[in-house]
């Protein structure tokens, strides 16, 4: 594969070449690096260099997570339908789109990629992707830990093609791999017939259809780097490095978060900063929080955004317990990564709600209660196998609307929507960039029929829709979909108006009682303050609170959602009435 340049490229500055050499030395050692560097530099000098994007994000940015065929209509490429539908319904409140894998694939709803360089013909063509990029800031999935077994790379490896030798990792099946961290219950090694060496056991971290690439071979690094540059050429503004924590393999280790993995990310950061500054790296590492945030590096040299994985399960736990203590204690410890980096906050995605990120944050009894509540609402629980053979819950498979509901409840629709709105108010109030899943924004329920039909638990949250049927529900004022979208639009529009919600604006989480999650945000310029209060108890009440800045007595706080006003007392205390699952976003009127 060759990436054409419309400008002929330009020479790399000497300091960039030196940095690339340092990265390669740390990954492979000087001997290998010496032969790899000229080819990498040549690749970068041949591509079109993009002008820098000055600002990462601001308070007006919200990402939507969606599949390319999330919405369908007759005789239209799904990517074209998606663009038209999103522009019509949320184009004014959604600035970016995480377009889930849109490449030819064989399993896992796109995450077993056959051809990185093509668009799945059932979705459309590259021009449709590029048209989406004209309306939304696009995040592409870089599923570069593994390929499908149907990938031409793997087919040629099995045929003994010397150009693809060592592209994949085959080891003796008797090798002791118990130290390797497993994200699934499936076997780590899968046997495949090869034309030159017979049956070989190949590393398959996620499934027998997803064969891991071998980055110890620098040819793999070069090939994947070229893929990433092609994504930029097709309109990617962000690159989501899927399952990146598992990238480098070294027997005798956990094969998770190895130093070489971090160095590869640093190399890609240098590459993008050189030829497409402002193209952002997003790391997807569904692991405990302390491990997850290591992917910021020093705040300037690895990921621009890191998924806030503890937020979804901790928010669920808060609502089920009617108590924000765990959520508040965790959120209060979050330091700002750097002015050049921030968190990607989310509650739901195409995957389920990961439980590993709350190891050490929630007790097993609390996790078990969440599992029971989800299963009671037709959800599923996925498990993983540890090195000692034990099995533990790994992920809750459910739409977030259902996950928030009590296990046994006879509630009004308004109460359910209020709870859903309060949870998303927490998401939108926190420092970082919010990402909202399509099925959340448009008020979807669980799809157990899909999970039962396919035998894959995650499908319960991956339903696609007829555009005509979906729009009929959205136009019905009495429908759940209409009510949820309108409530979410209200929250997002309020966020967009307030500079205090800038992703890098100061954040102070404070104690306003166990029933209310409280956070103060202050704009980067320091002239705008918003105090956010969200009820998780489902009971109306009065909050008596003191904001972290101890606002002067007589200060007027205006709720940006309903325009009601509250006044602080002489010591900065203020009283606020909050309805059941209510939200108060109080701006200091200056």
């Amino acid at each position: 594969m060759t990436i054409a340049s419309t400008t002929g490229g330009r020479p790399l500055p000497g300091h960039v070449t030196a940095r690339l050499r340092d990265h390669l030395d740390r990954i492979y050692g000087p001997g290998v690096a010496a032969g790899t560097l000229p080819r990498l530099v040549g690749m970068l000098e041949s591509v079109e260099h993009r002008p820098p994007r000055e600002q990462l994000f601001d308070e007006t940015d919200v990402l939507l997570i969606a599949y390319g065929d999330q919405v369908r209509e007759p005789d239209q490429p799904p990517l074209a339908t998606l663009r038209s539908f999103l522009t019509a319904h949320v184009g004014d409140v959604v600035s970016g789109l995480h377009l889930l894998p849109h490449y030819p694939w064989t399993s896992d709803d796109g995450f077993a990629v056959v051809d990185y360089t093509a668009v799945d013909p059932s979705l459309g063509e590259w021009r449709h992707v590029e048209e989406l990029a004209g309306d939304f800031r696009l995040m592409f999935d870089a599923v570069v830990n593994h390929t499908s077994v149907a990938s031409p790379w793997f087919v040629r490896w099995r045929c003994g093609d010397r150009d693809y030798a060592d592209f994949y990792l085959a080891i003796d099946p008797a090798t002791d791999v118990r130290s390797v961290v497993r994200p699934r219950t499936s076997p780590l090694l899968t046997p495949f017939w090869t034309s030159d060496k017979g049956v070989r056991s190949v590393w398959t971290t996620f499934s027998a259809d997803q064969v891991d690439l071998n980055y110890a071979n620098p040819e793999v690094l070069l090939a994947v780097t070229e893929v990433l540059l092609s994504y930029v050429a097709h309109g990617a503004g962000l690159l989501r490095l899927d399952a990146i924590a598992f990238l480098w393999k070294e027997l005798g280790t956990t094969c998770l978060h190895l130093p070489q993995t971090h160095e590869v990310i640093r190399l890609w950061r240098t590459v993008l900063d050189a030829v497409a500054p402002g193209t952002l790296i997003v790391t997807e590492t569904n692991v405990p929080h302390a491990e997850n945030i290591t992917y910021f590096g020093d705040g300037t040299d690895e990921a621009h955004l890191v998924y806030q994985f503890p937020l979804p399960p901790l928010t669920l736990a808060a609502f089920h317990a009617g108590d924000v203590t765990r959520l508040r204690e965790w959120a209060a410890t979050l330091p700002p990564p750097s002015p050049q980096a921030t968190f990607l906050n989310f509650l739901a995605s195409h995957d389920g709600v990961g439980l590993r990120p709350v190891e050490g944050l929630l007790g097993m009894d609390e996790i078990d209660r969440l599992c029971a509540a989800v299963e009671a609402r037709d959800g599923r629980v996925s498990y993983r196998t540890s090195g000692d053979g034990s099995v533990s819950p790994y992920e809750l498979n459910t739409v977030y609307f259902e996950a928030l509901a009590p296990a046994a409840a006879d509630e009004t629709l308004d109460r359910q929507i209020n709870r859903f709105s309060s949870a998303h108010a927490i998401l939108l109030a926190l420092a970082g960039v919010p990402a909202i899943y399509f099925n959340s924004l448009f008020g979807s329920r669980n799809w157990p029929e899909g999970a039962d039909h396919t035998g894959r638990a995650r499908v319960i949250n991956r339903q696609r829709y007829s555009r005509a049927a979906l729009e009929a529900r959205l136009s019905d004022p009495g429908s759940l979909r209409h009510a949820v979208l309108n409530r979410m639009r209200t929250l997002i529009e309020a966020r967009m108006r307030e500079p205090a919600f800038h992703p890098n604006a100061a954040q102070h989480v404070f104690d306003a009682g166990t029933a209310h999650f409280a956070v103060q945000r202050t704009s980067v310029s320091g002239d705008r303050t918003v105090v956010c209060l969200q009820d998780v108890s489902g009971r109306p009440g009065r909050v008596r609170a003191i904001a972290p800045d101890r606002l002067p007595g007589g200060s007027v706080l205006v709720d940006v959602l309903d325009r009601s006003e509250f006044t602080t007392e002489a010591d900065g205390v203020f009283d606020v009435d909050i309805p059941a699952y209510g939200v108060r976003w109080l701006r200091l009127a200056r």
Side-chain angles (χ1 to χ4, degrees):
M1 180 180 67
T2 301
I3 305 169
S5 170
T6 59
T7 64
R10 63 171 180 257
L12 287 183
H15 72 277
V16 174
T17 300
R19 289 192 66 182
L20 292 173
R21 181 186 300 109
D22 290 343
H23 294 313
L24 291 171
D25 283 349
R26 285 190 283 268
I27 297 169
Y28 298 112
V32 174
T36 305
L37 179 63
R39 296 172 59 197
L40 178 59
V41 169
M43 182 192 304
L44 302 186
E45 291 183 339
S46 71
V47 301
E48 179 182 0
H49 290 210
R50 301 299 179 93
R53 187 184 183 102
E54 293 184 0
Q55 181 169 278
L56 298 182
F57 288 104
D58 64 22
E59 63 274 10
T60 67
D61 285 300
V62 173
L63 297 183
L64 181 71
I65 306 165
Y67 284 98
D69 61 348
Q70 197 82 61
V71 187
R72 298 165 173 166
E73 59 185 332
D75 304 319
Q76 287 293 321
L79 286 168
T81 297
L82 180 66
R83 178 191 178 209
S84 174
F85 176 85
L86 294 182
T87 301
H89 293 281
V90 294
D92 57 335
V93 291
V94 168
S95 62
L97 174 64
H98 172 195
L99 183 62
L100 288 157
H102 50 280
Y103 326 110
W105 56 281
T106 51
S107 65
D108 198 17
D109 282 332
F111 285 89
V113 179
V114 174
D115 185 351
Y116 291 125
T117 67
V119 173
D120 185 340
S122 70
L123 299 179
E125 303 172 355
W126 276 119
R127 67 181 178 88
H128 297 117
V129 175
E130 292 163 3
E131 287 167 356
L132 269 169
D135 294 325
F136 301 96
R137 193 174 183 182
L138 283 192
M139 179 159 77
F140 282 21
D141 264 295
V143 190
V144 296
N145 178 73
H146 48 261
T147 70
S148 164
V149 298
S151 164
W153 293 2
F154 189 61
V155 171
R156 293 175 71 174
W157 178 85
R158 293 180 69 183
C159 291
D161 187 325
R162 294 181 61 184
D163 288 340
Y164 289 84
D166 298 324
F167 254 58
Y168 300 89
L169 188 62
I171 65 173
D172 185 336
T175 303
D176 184 354
V177 294
R178 287 176 295 177
S179 62
V180 176
V181 170
R182 303 292 296 117
R184 301 284 186 271
T185 55
S186 58
L188 178 65
L189 302 177
T190 302
F192 290 94
W193 174 262
T194 65
S195 61
D196 57 343
K197 297 183 181 179
V199 175
R200 304 182 72 186
S201 294
V202 181
W203 205 290
T204 52
T205 296
F206 291 94
S207 79
D209 187 41
Q210 294 165 294
V211 282
D212 289 47
L213 288 161
N214 177 23
Y215 281 82
N217 177 1
E219 296 298 326
V220 171
L221 179 66
L222 290 171
V224 171
T225 301
E226 195 168 18
V227 167
L228 300 183
L229 293 173
S230 75
Y231 290 168
V232 173
H234 285 301
L238 301 92
L239 296 173
R240 175 184 181 271
L241 303 183
D242 177 69
I244 193 66
F246 298 90
L247 193 75
W248 194 275
K249 280 72 174 176
E250 187 173 313
L251 291 174
T253 75
T254 62
C255 298
L256 191 68
H257 316 311
L258 295 188
Q260 295 92 332
T261 294
H262 285 279
E263 199 62 46
V264 169
I265 297 171
R266 286 191 281 269
L267 180 144
W268 285 335
R269 174 78 178 250
T270 297
V271 164
L272 294 173
D273 286 349
V275 303
T279 302
L280 308 182
I281 289 176
V282 185
T283 50
E284 190 264 337
T285 52
N286 194 352
V287 294
H289 180 68
E291 301 170 30
N292 185 38
I293 61 176
T294 63
Y295 287 85
F296 281 125
D298 68 6
T300 65
D301 64 347
E302 288 193 45
H304 297 85
L305 296 102
V306 166
Y307 276 85
Q308 193 68 283
F309 277 108
L311 182 61
L314 284 175
T315 301
L316 275 186
F319 279 88
H320 279 282
D323 186 333
V324 301
T325 303
R326 301 275 198 188
L327 176 61
R328 182 182 66 234
E329 290 174 348
W330 165 77
T333 67
L334 297 176
S338 79
Q340 293 80 38
T342 192
F343 288 106
L344 186 65
N345 296 326
F346 74 113
L347 294 180
S349 73
H350 58 291
D351 290 337
V353 177
L355 296 174
R356 285 211 67 207
V358 288
E359 291 177 6
L361 299 175
L362 292 179
M364 276 309 303
D365 58 332
E366 295 169 294
I367 290 174
D368 288 342
R369 283 196 293 271
L370 290 180
C371 292
V374 164
E375 290 180 322
R377 306 285 295 188
D378 285 328
R380 306 286 191 271
V381 178
S382 295
Y383 293 84
R384 73 184 185 95
T385 302
S386 300
D388 62 2
S390 62
V391 176
S392 58
Y394 166 78
E395 183 179 78
L396 305 175
N397 301 114
T398 174
V399 297
Y400 212 77
F401 189 92
E402 299 281 14
L404 283 165
D410 182 14
E411 302 178 305
T412 65
L413 187 61
D414 279 348
R415 182 174 174 85
Q416 296 175 65
I417 293 170
N418 288 342
R419 181 172 52 234
F420 189 73
S421 175
S422 181
H424 281 81
I426 293 172
L427 164 72
L428 292 164
L430 288 171
V433 177
I436 302 173
Y437 186 39
F438 186 97
N439 281 334
S440 292
L441 189 60
F442 292 97
S444 296
R445 301 275 197 172
N446 277 337
W447 189 39
E449 300 85 358
D452 292 340
H453 177 71
T454 62
R456 291 183 287 119
R458 282 181 167 178
V459 174
I460 201 168
N461 189 30
R462 295 179 175 179
Q463 188 172 6
R464 276 52 157 202
Y465 305 97
S466 153
R467 179 174 185 172
L470 183 56
E471 290 186 326
R473 301 305 294 160
L474 290 173
S475 64
D476 176 5
S479 75
L480 171 66
R481 294 191 184 280
H482 176 94
V484 166
L485 179 58
N486 277 5
R487 189 71 65 83
M488 295 285 275
R489 286 182 63 91
T490 298
L491 289 172
I492 294 170
E493 287 167 352
R495 174 191 164 88
M496 293 171 67
R497 292 192 296 266
E498 293 298 330
F501 289 125
H502 187 285
N504 295 113
Q507 171 173 292
H508 299 281
V509 175
F510 64 99
D511 188 350
T514 59
H516 302 96
F517 183 76
V519 57
Q520 176 180 301
R521 302 292 308 281
T522 302
S523 63
V524 175
S525 63
D527 63 350
R528 301 279 279 194
T529 295
V530 176
V531 177
C532 306
L533 302 168
Q534 291 86 192
D535 175 62
V536 306
S537 71
R539 298 184 300 274
R542 170 165 287 193
V543 178
R544 188 167 178 82
I546 305 175
D549 286 351
R550 287 190 173 271
L551 306 174
S555 297
V556 177
L557 298 169
V558 179
D559 192 325
V560 301
L561 298 170
D562 68 5
R563 313 308 299 173
S564 54
E565 295 186 0
F566 305 87
T567 304
T568 62
E569 299 175 8
D571 56 0
V573 171
F574 57 95
D575 293 321
V576 181
D577 292 317
I578 301 183
Y581 295 129
V583 176
R584 293 287 191 193
W585 283 355
L586 308 174
R587 185 184 69 235
L588 176 62
R590 297 186 185 274

